Amino acid sequence: MQLPRFDLKRPSSFHEAVRLLVEYGNAAKISAGGTDLLPRMKYRIAAPATVISLKRIPVSEPFQDSEGNLHVHALVRLSDAASSNLVRTNAPALADAALAVGSEQIRNMGTLGGNVCLEPRCHYYNQSHAYQFMDPCFKRGGNLCYLVPKGNRCWALACSDTVPALIGLRAAAVVQSGDREYTIPVEELFTGDPVRPLCLGETDLITDIVVPAARPRTAVVFRKLSPRGGIDFATVNCAVMLKLSEDREACEDAIIAIGAVSGKPMRAGQAEKNLLGRKIAPDVIHEAAGRTASEIRPSMRCDCSISYLRKCIESLTQAALETAYQRASSGDGVKPD
Amino acid sequence: MKRIIQMTVNGEPVELAIEPNRTLLQVLREDLELTGTKHGCGLGDCGACTVILDGAPVNSCLVLAVQANGREVLTIEGLEENGDLHPIQKAFVEKGAIQCGFCTSGMILSAKALLDHNPRPSEIDIRTAISGNLCRCTGYQKIVEAIQAASETMAGSGGDAR
Amino acid sequence: MKNKDKPPELQPFFDKNIAGDVVPSIGISMPRIDAYAKVTGRERYAADYYGFDMIWAGVKRAGIPHARLKSVNTQAAENLPGVIAVLTHKNISGSNRQGVIRKDQPVLVDDKVRHCGDAVALVLAEDKETLAKAIKLTSADFEPLPGVFTTETALEENAPLVHEDHPGGNVLLKASLEIGSVQSAKEHCDVLVEACFETPLVEHAYLETEAGWAQLKEDGKLEIVASTQTPFRDRMEVADALGLEPERIRMIAPYAGGAFGGKDGVTVQSLLGLAALHANGRPVKMWWSREESFIAGTKRHAARMYYRLGAKADGSLHSLDTRLYFDTGPYDHLGGVVITLALEHSGGPYRIPNVSFKGWAVYTNNPIGGAFRGFGVAQVTAAMEQMMDMLAEKLAMDPLKLRLKNAVRKGDKNCVGVTLTHSTGLVECLEAVARHPLWTERAAWKSKAGPFKRRGAGIVALMHASGYGPVVPDVANAKVELTAEGKIKVYCGVVDMGQGNAATNLQIAGSILCQNVDRIELILPDTDRTLPSGSASASRCTYTFGNALIGACETLKLRILQRAADLLMVDDCDETALIPGAVRHLPTGREIPLHRLATFMNESERTATQRFRAPTAKEIPPVGNEIRLHGFPHTLFSYGAHLVRVEVNELTGVVDVKRYLSVSDCGKIINPHVYEQQIQGAIAQGIGYALSEEVQVNEGKVLTADLATFIIPAASDVPEIESQPVEIYEPSGPYGLKGVGEIATNGPLPAIANAVADACGVRIFRSPLTPSRVLRALRERLSEGGVH
């Protein structure tokens, strides 16, 4: 598995990286940890003439600003994000999600920003095509889908573990775009089209993730279902946020985000809305999980059926909501003022 | 275009001129003849190529060699000291944790990284720490036992090992 | 980088500090000699050779499951700088066919492509980058043909033919056996159970993918170092395919990085040989990528098995009929032998007076079915052992008692009509399980399942034949040498692919010749140095080679003692004994060092060889010669009983294997560690087979071509495994040993399926038991429950 030849650029700042992106345009690819890009390059799914490695850019430790917002550098390694006390205390769902990615070895190279930008995956797409499936599919620039032969779109799955957690946390991405910088909610980063999964401009780079200060009586919980104890991409993952009223009984705010089942992470808007103002009880949680399962539409895939995925979404959401309720009502996850 | 890199491999400084598209695994195996680091998939799925880079286990098949510039690499060949096996190596031999041996190098380095950070791991800690290292021969049981035994030996040999 | 074209040195390294001064004994867990080199990274596998001036070789594969090859376009690749040659079938002067029984697989496609992984062209290049480009630039014109992708469609009347010249059409081999009369017996059965089971196509997933290294030497000798289980057979196959005299070829087999049957037969060898013939004497290396290994390598046959089992009300089995359909892909490889062994084991280790077994190995355009640890027995055991539980349920009988009631004992005829004349310890295995707390206390454990969890326990009884059967000689030739320096060399004829037989050979030789580990050197299989000893397969390695080795060592020992007696001028060599490094005259204490003794002996005197041929069944059950040629029947079997405890998550369908117990009758044990390794490793593979491993194929194309989508167990997926031996002495075995390599692979799938049925009351007839299938079965049961 030989990497194709490429020219390596190693900028020492995001500014410089963006300048290089402007200069090389489509012929360049960004590599943060490399754990997602290099396998695709070995498969010749990606064959950039220039690789812009961000390894030289200094990585700052996670920190909290005066308003309590947590800033995590996009190039922080997943293992560092998972073990950072600050992250673990202020955004345990993010730490859990970071720890759920791949293996120890992957987490020691892979970065938070890289995981947010993870390419959608598919059994057909993620092959070399040297031995079979010769004609390019939509995602490889062709005009067909092997999974849905008569379809007119790509069905690859957005499998990031950290993205649902960040959506649950209402986190935002700070993006360097030319000389300016803007902030966009993580949830709005995704187009839903696996061929062009990110809304970012061609020369935009995520530099930081900002997690808003934890609110009282609020908990965000991440859960993942995967074939094995380690290594795997999620079959389904899920993050829920639950904020309780002052009497800690009713739901004041809720997010249910489901990942790995479609071209972008999905929100269960109806289920969330239905929770608002309701007194949280087992049947309410059960109902919310059921609503989530019926409103999320998992994409077709090779390894399991849609009905199975719905069932998993329901179980996972239920488990996450139960834990979130427990934490929010017991005071866990409440940030001391 | 080739680049000059300097890194420390098993305590020895190394200087090489290499193309950016060579992985650390390739350079270790092909240029430095350190074939103890194995290639099992090239995609980060199996862990056979695990080396320790600045103290952290990584899949060397997913690290560009140029990125190891200025860094410290430990491979299986660097574990012996003065001709004596490292306690983890010794435990692998004595506990029968080796069959075909193709996962062994990576497995031992993952175990070393674990014990360096967590000298007395539980069985679950061990199984989690090596879950990125696939083994098709042993069923893992003797590997887990060997890592447990090594942790006891290392903890018993005094604090200065830490 | 300089001078790397030296011939490969295959001398194991060991660490004196640990075991060098130990004299091996039989029955102890002495550290494996290969462990030292492996634990330090010094061991060089076939994949680890990088010669000076080395060339890389790679294959252009068809990528289409069935097509007529019209032409191969090599020009573009040949024009690429750095490309040395692009070879097609036209460059092959031999038969261009490989295969163990039926030679039907081309080295490079000449007439037809029969699966996506077929090799169309062989490319030689200066480096891997150029190689990748050149492979991409090589193209072929195909005339696509309709393919057959299931055994059902392949057997239809007008199905497209995979091999037009095969008289049996798409049936590679049909095997059948009738004993008694199932037809009339059925009427005398009080209960009948019937089911159809489907088991998946499975990849070996050894960590070292197919790899090798070859060079045409100046003297015209073609030297091939390969990760293989079968160096001696490979030599014949390569010679035939490439049109060379076998003696021109030297095959060298270092320790393999796992094989499990997937390297039983030619993988890279012929391609490498062909490449080396066109490399101007430069060494050539080939190393399949993981994806290539998935697509082009052999697999465990997918199977569909129909079973009908009848019994009397008291639980005694009375009749069984089975129909087995194995998808062998486009080539025989070992498919005919696999279906034959499956047939032989399809009734399990039970006495059944009336049987009718039929099996078909069917050609399709799917990936190649071949040898895989278990070798057909894993599939039929999955079926038969679930049938036994279904029968027990219908009879309201304890499943363990049902098995005990019907278990074969020594002197019985097994259900294919062979009298069991060797040790037969199934009853002892079952009784050990029956006594074990994991079984006796299972009810209490089950009742403690948490919310949305269900617990269950499952058991199975196992048997597995060893050796090749009656016709193909199951022979090993051992050779030991007292070197001129007074050390011992053991010439191992059977490959060590990880199972530890090389270390066991050292243990045997060291113990007989009373020499320290550091006085013994192992010579690994090499057609120029070691003697032909058959394949590393069929649970035969230590049984067959060990017997030969004991004979050779005893001969050498006697010769050494006699010579020493002469030199010491004593009458009787009974008064002398071998001690480390010397021979001692016991009455006087006088010693003569071996290095000195060796100077008095010429080379032929210092070398002893011994041949051993494994025993075969003397009965001839009613089958055709063709089936006997494929290895039916066997006489020597290992036995076992397994118990598993599982917990099923009702919400996710995930089956969590909590504990595993294996009790095996594999005879006496030479090295308990090595024995446990075989059992534990086989069980982990079996757990993968039961729960997650499935090569998904769509119209002949592999969807799961990496270790991220083909899910083998990781450390956190395998439970604590207890492996107890029932050490019954087998008189024909070396030190009473029988084969242990495969038997445990066969247990986990049916044991886990039985445990899931015990936990949830659902039986899933199609494996693996993925969460998706388990959950669907649970829901179907719930909805059925709602109707009543």
Side-chain angles (χ1 to χ4, degrees):
Chain A
M1 290 275 256
Q2 178 59 47
L3 282 167
R5 268 176 198 260
F6 56 85
D7 186 24
L8 184 71
K9 299 290 173 196
R10 309 183 71 195
S12 49
S13 69
F14 282 118
H15 273 282
E16 199 187 330
V18 168
R19 264 206 313 278
L20 289 166
L21 270 179
V22 173
E23 188 181 337
Y24 291 99
N26 276 337
K29 285 257 183 225
I30 292 288
S31 167
T35 52
D36 184 37
L37 179 65
L38 295 187
R40 280 184 293 121
M41 287 176 66
K42 289 182 177 187
Y43 275 162
R44 305 295 190 271
I45 300 171
T50 303
V51 171
I52 303 169
S53 165
L54 307 182
K55 286 268 168 203
R56 236 181 227 173
I57 298 176
V59 182
S60 52
E61 295 270 310
F63 69 93
Q64 257 179 316
D65 63 22
S66 54
E67 282 147 36
N69 301 316
L70 176 67
H71 295 248
V72 188
H73 197 270
L75 296 175
V76 79
R77 298 186 309 171
L78 289 161
S79 53
D80 292 332
S83 62
S84 151
N85 277 332
L86 210 56
V87 176
R88 190 141 286 289
T89 316
N90 291 278
L94 175 57
D96 288 347
L99 191 61
V101 176
S103 63
E104 170 97 25
Q105 292 94 318
I106 297 285
R107 295 190 294 274
N108 282 333
M109 287 302 292
T111 65
L112 177 59
N115 191 251
V116 168
C117 300
L118 190 75
E119 269 304 317
R121 298 178 58 83
C122 149
H123 278 48
Y124 294 90
Y125 169 66
N126 290 94
Q127 295 208 5
S128 72
H129 293 217
Y131 307 112
Q132 47 183 24
F133 307 117
M134 305 298 192
D135 295 325
C137 66
F138 287 115
K139 196 160 166 54
R140 296 172 72 106
N143 209 17
L144 67 100
C145 171
Y146 287 100
L147 181 65
V148 184
K150 287 185 181 147
N152 54 7
R153 55 160 289 200
C154 170
W155 293 87
L157 304 172
C159 296
S160 165
D161 286 325
T162 56
V163 168
L166 291 171
I167 291 173
L169 289 161
R170 288 219 172 87
V174 180
V175 178
Q176 179 86 45
S177 177
D179 283 337
R180 79 189 178 94
E181 210 178 72
Y182 66 93
T183 300
I184 176 174
V186 168
E187 185 176 358
E188 291 170 21
L189 279 172
F190 304 96
T191 61
D193 173 10
V195 176
R196 261 197 57 88
L198 294 172
C199 294
L200 297 176
E202 300 268 339
T203 57
D204 291 3
L205 273 181
I206 297 176
T207 61
D208 288 279
I209 297 292
V210 183
V211 180
R215 296 178 295 168
R217 307 180 305 281
T218 305
V220 187
V221 170
F222 173 80
R223 287 282 184 274
K224 172 176 178 175
L225 189 74
S226 62
R228 282 175 290 202
I231 319 180
D232 298 318
F233 289 102
T235 306
V236 185
N237 59 24
C238 146
V240 306
M241 182 276 284
L242 208 55
K243 180 170 194 281
L244 297 179
S245 58
E246 282 190 26
D247 59 5
R248 298 189 183 230
E249 289 197 343
C251 169
E252 223 177 70
D253 191 5
I255 293 178
I256 300 173
I258 305 292
V261 296
S262 56
K264 71 170 185 177
M266 309 290 271
R267 282 277 294 273
Q270 297 299 320
E272 290 170 6
K273 212 177 281 171
N274 197 262
L275 276 171
L276 295 183
R278 303 265 305 268
K279 198 178 147 189
I280 300 297
D283 59 322
V284 174
I285 287 180
H286 187 70
E287 186 191 323
R291 277 177 187 272
T292 303
S294 56
E295 79 177 273
I296 300 286
R297 291 178 179 277
S299 298
M300 302 254 306
R301 62 205 269 175
C302 298
D303 55 347
C304 52
S305 67
I306 288 176
S307 65
Y308 172 71
L309 288 169
R310 284 188 188 282
K311 185 72 192 164
C312 290
I313 291 168
E314 184 176 349
S315 309
L316 223 53
T317 308
Q318 168 137 358
L321 280 170
E322 281 165 2
T323 309
Y325 173 64
Q326 247 171 26
R327 289 194 193 157
S329 60
S330 70
D332 269 20
V334 180
K335 195 182 164 285
D337 286 319
Chain B
M1 197 185 65
K2 285 193 178 178
R3 290 175 186 230
I4 308 286
I5 63 156
Q6 293 168 325
M7 56 182 171
T8 308
V9 178
N10 300 331
E12 302 277 329
V14 174
E15 190 174 291
L16 290 160
I18 44 174
E19 293 287 347
N21 66 337
R22 314 257 335 271
T23 61
L24 178 58
L25 174 64
Q26 286 175 322
V27 169
L28 289 172
R29 288 180 56 85
E30 298 168 13
D31 297 16
L32 302 178
E33 299 182 37
L34 295 171
T35 53
T37 305
K38 301 304 181 195
H39 176 283
C41 69
L43 303 169
D45 296 329
C46 77
C49 65
T50 301
V51 300
I52 297 184
L53 184 64
D54 284 348
V58 296
N59 293 312
S60 61
C61 72
L62 296 186
V63 179
L64 297 179
V66 291
Q67 289 171 340
N69 189 23
R71 304 176 76 178
E72 227 169 279
V73 181
L74 178 70
T75 74
I76 193 70
E77 290 92 345
L79 230 51
E80 280 169 286
E81 273 184 34
N82 309 320
D84 289 333
L85 295 183
H86 185 279
I88 302 173
Q89 291 174 307
K90 207 167 167 193
F92 268 60
V93 172
E94 287 174 348
K95 292 284 167 188
I98 292 160
Q99 292 191 42
C100 90
F102 218 74
C103 75
T104 303
S105 309
M107 199 66 90
I108 287 176
L109 290 166
S110 281
K112 179 174 190 303
L114 168 71
L115 296 184
D116 285 348
H117 293 106
N118 178 4
R120 300 304 294 260
S122 67
E123 184 188 333
I124 291 175
D125 293 339
I126 294 173
R127 288 190 185 266
T128 307
I130 60 169
S131 66
N133 293 82
L134 296 177
C135 169
R136 194 56 160 163
C137 296
T138 65
Y140 301 104
Q141 186 149 324
K142 292 193 183 300
I143 291 174
V144 173
E145 286 168 14
I147 297 171
Q148 278 168 335
S151 95
E152 281 158 29
T153 318
M154 289 162 73
S157 72
D160 56 354
R162 297 280 79 76
Chain C
M1 309 273 346
K2 49 272 123 198
N3 226 2
K4 284 202 293 186
D5 52 347
K6 278 184 292 183
E9 281 299 322
L10 297 172
Q11 291 169 1
F13 154 88
F14 60 86
D15 185 320
K16 266 208 262 214
N17 299 329
I18 294 194
D21 54 358
V22 172
V23 174
S25 313
I26 301 301
I28 60 157
S29 286
M30 61 173 287
R32 287 170 57 157
I33 190 69
D34 54 328
Y36 304 111
K38 289 173 177 175
V39 86
T40 53
R42 283 189 181 86
E43 187 57 56
R44 288 179 88 193
Y45 298 79
D48 291 336
Y49 291 96
Y50 295 92
F52 174 74
D53 207 22
M54 188 189 78
I55 295 170
W56 283 92
V59 174
K60 177 76 186 183
R61 299 194 180 275
I64 178 172
H66 199 194
R68 207 160 295 287
L69 178 68
K70 289 158 73 182
S71 64
V72 186
N73 316 312
T74 59
Q75 198 62 51
E78 281 164 347
N79 291 343
L80 195 68
V83 170
I84 291 153
V86 183
L87 307 173
T88 68
H89 67 94
K90 291 179 181 153
N91 299 97
I92 298 176
S93 42
S95 70
N96 189 23
R97 287 295 180 276
Q98 312 168 106
V100 180
I101 301 277
R102 189 175 137 77
K103 292 189 178 293
D104 56 5
Q105 181 175 3
V107 179
L108 292 173
V109 171
D110 40 27
D111 53 349
K112 239 175 64 160
V113 167
R114 296 182 183 86
H115 80 128
C116 288
D118 264 338
V120 174
L122 176 65
V123 182
L124 279 64
E126 294 286 350
D127 58 78
K128 283 187 280 182
E129 266 169 64
T130 312
L131 181 68
K133 275 189 205 151
I135 290 175
K136 199 163 183 201
L137 285 174
T138 305
S139 64
D141 291 331
F142 298 120
E143 178 196 327
L145 297 168
V148 284
F149 303 109
T150 63
T151 53
E152 288 101 321
T153 51
L155 294 176
E156 279 168 9
E157 207 161 309
N158 293 315
L161 293 176
V162 180
H163 294 272
E164 286 83 355
D165 61 342
H166 182 54
N170 285 334
V171 177
L172 163 66
L173 182 71
K174 183 188 172 189
S176 62
L177 170 78
E178 304 256 349
I179 293 178
S181 167
V182 165
Q183 216 44 36
S184 58
K186 263 191 305 192
E187 290 157 27
H188 299 104
C189 290
D190 297 312
V191 282
L192 272 175
V193 278
E194 240 177 295
C196 172
F197 301 88
E198 282 180 87
T199 58
L201 187 72
V202 180
E203 166 71 22
H204 306 82
Y206 20 78
L207 268 274
E208 179 202 36
T209 53
E210 294 79 351
W213 195 77
Q215 189 171 17
L216 185 63
K217 297 289 184 183
E218 276 173 21
D219 61 1
K221 194 129 188 174
L222 180 58
E223 206 171 273
I224 304 174
V225 180
S227 189
T228 176
Q229 295 170 242
T230 49
F232 286 92
R233 197 174 73 210
D234 292 353
R235 178 170 61 167
M236 304 308 288
E237 277 198 70
V238 173
D240 188 55
L242 300 184
L244 302 171
E245 292 301 321
E247 60 272 18
R248 251 192 88 185
I249 300 171
R250 177 183 183 188
M251 288 292 318
I252 298 173
Y255 287 119
F260 316 114
K263 297 169 183 170
D264 185 339
V266 167
T267 56
V268 295
Q269 294 89 321
S270 295
L271 293 162
L272 268 176
L274 178 63
L277 293 177
H278 292 82
N280 304 315
R282 294 170 69 184
V284 189
K285 180 173 178 132
M286 178 184 274
W287 193 355
W288 290 2
S289 70
R290 178 61 60 187
E291 188 184 27
E292 193 171 14
S293 179
F294 266 98
I295 288 161
T298 60
K299 310 274 174 284
R300 187 190 298 290
H301 288 75
R304 192 161 39 88
M305 300 167 285
Y306 295 90
Y307 268 68
R308 186 159 51 203
L309 178 64
K312 303 280 195 185
D314 68 354
S316 47
L317 301 181
H318 194 59
S319 81
L320 172 64
D321 67 298
T322 67
R323 280 176 295 136
L324 317 172
Y325 297 90
F326 279 38
D327 181 345
T328 205
Y331 301 117
D332 179 359
H333 185 64
L334 286 157
V337 190
V338 168
I339 193 72
T340 306
L341 199 72
L343 190 91
E344 184 173 359
H345 289 73
S346 58
Y350 304 113
R351 283 169 280 115
I352 311 174
N354 302 286
V355 301
S356 167
F357 297 153
K358 292 187 180 69
W360 291 260
V362 183
Y363 280 133
T364 66
N365 298 109
N366 288 325
I368 308 167
F372 191 156
R373 193 182 205 175
F375 208 85
V377 184
Q379 291 92 324
V380 293
T381 306
M384 183 62 193
E385 286 304 304
Q386 294 195 65
M387 293 299 292
M388 289 300 280
D389 262 38
M390 290 162 67
L391 179 65
E393 192 186 344
K394 209 158 179 181
L395 289 163
M397 203 172 158
D398 177 299
L400 207 152
K401 287 189 181 129
L402 177 68
R403 287 174 172 84
L404 265 174
K405 185 175 182 67
N406 293 286
V408 289
R409 293 157 200 262
K410 191 170 178 177
D412 283 347
K413 270 193 175 187
N414 69 13
C415 64
V416 296
V418 171
T419 304
L420 300 172
T421 55
H422 294 270
S423 63
T424 307
L426 177 60
V427 169
E428 288 81 352
C429 293
L430 285 166
E431 282 172 347
V433 168
R435 284 191 302 269
H436 200 284
L438 287 175
W439 182 247
T440 55
E441 293 164 16
R442 67 192 188 282
W445 178 77
K446 281 167 65 175
S447 69
K448 288 189 199 117
F452 304 110
K453 300 277 171 72
R454 283 168 178 265
R455 289 175 166 183
I459 53 153
V460 293
L462 306 172
M463 70 173 199
H464 199 103
S466 76
Y468 298 160
V471 182
V472 176
D474 189 353
V475 169
N477 293 286
K479 175 174 157 185
V480 279
E481 181 188 346
L482 172 67
T483 67
E485 296 76 36
K487 297 199 169 184
I488 301 296
K489 267 190 186 166
V490 181
Y491 294 83
C492 307
V494 182
V495 171
D496 189 334
M497 49 196 173
Q499 77 274 45
N501 50 325
T504 305
N505 293 342
L506 181 141
Q507 205 168 346
I508 291 173
S511 119
I512 296 174
L513 298 167
C514 194
Q515 296 303 302
N516 303 344
V517 171
D518 56 8
R519 291 180 171 279
I520 307 170
E521 187 188 327
L522 295 176
I523 308 299
L524 297 184
D526 176 335
T527 54
D528 271 13
R529 302 180 78 191
T530 62
L531 303 177
S533 295
S535 57
S537 67
S539 301
R540 69 180 286 277
C541 304
T542 302
Y543 178 85
T544 308
F545 190 81
N547 269 325
L549 182 60
I550 289 173
C553 289
E554 294 289 358
T555 304
L556 183 63
K557 179 182 173 183
L558 185 65
R559 223 177 265 162
I560 290 171
L561 293 181
Q562 284 171 339
R563 210 67 167 88
D566 295 349
L567 287 165
L568 293 163
M569 301 212 278
V570 297
D571 293 342
D572 191 351
C573 72
D574 278 359
E575 293 178 354
T576 59
L578 268 160
I579 59 169
V583 176
R584 179 179 293 161
H585 181 235
L586 298 170
T588 62
R590 282 184 300 151
E591 288 179 10
I592 178 161
L594 286 180
H595 64 83
R596 189 147 162 67
L597 183 66
T599 59
F600 291 101
M601 299 166 77
N602 82 8
E603 200 181 333
S604 60
E605 205 183 355
R606 287 187 278 106
T607 305
T609 63
Q610 176 78 46
R611 173 183 181 273
F612 176 80
R613 180 167 181 173
T616 54
K618 302 301 172 218
E619 284 147 317
I620 304 177
V623 295
N625 265 338
E626 177 77 348
I627 306 308
R628 283 177 58 73
L629 175 68
H630 283 82
F632 181 94
H634 290 77
T635 184
L636 184 68
F637 296 87
S638 298
Y639 296 91
H642 286 189
L643 160 66
V644 65
R645 282 183 170 182
V646 304
E647 188 168 271
V648 182
N649 185 326
E650 287 185 303
L651 301 177
T652 59
V654 170
V655 177
D656 194 359
V657 181
K658 292 292 191 187
R659 289 293 299 275
Y660 207 101
L661 167 70
S662 144
V663 186
S664 322
D665 159 32
C666 300
K668 285 289 198 186
I669 292 166
I670 292 179
N671 183 327
H673 264 171
V674 174
Y675 162 84
E676 285 161 14
Q677 290 173 344
Q678 286 294 333
I679 298 285
Q680 291 166 355
I683 286 168
Q685 275 181 2
I687 290 173
Y689 188 39
L691 295 178
S692 59
E693 293 173 19
E694 180 168 24
V695 177
Q696 293 179 43
V697 181
N698 181 9
E699 303 238 305
K701 293 176 179 162
V702 176
L703 299 184
T704 50
D706 59 34
L707 295 171
T709 51
F710 181 78
I711 307 290
I712 68 172
S716 38
D717 305 302
V718 180
E720 186 187 333
I721 299 166
E722 186 182 334
S723 48
Q724 287 184 16
V726 170
E727 289 198 71
I728 299 173
Y729 187 85
E730 162 51 39
S732 74
Y735 306 103
L737 162 150
K738 292 193 286 190
V740 64
E742 295 174 276
I743 183 164
T745 324
N746 306 327
L749 168 49
I752 288 170
N754 286 342
V756 168
D758 182 50
C760 318
V762 297
R763 186 161 293 282
I764 298 155
F765 294 94
R766 185 170 168 207
S767 54
L769 276 59
T770 57
S772 183
R773 287 184 184 133
V774 171
L775 206 57
R776 188 191 311 145
L778 288 173
R779 289 167 86 184
E780 281 167 7
R781 194 191 61 136
L782 274 183
S783 62
E784 277 167 27
V787 175
H788 295 304

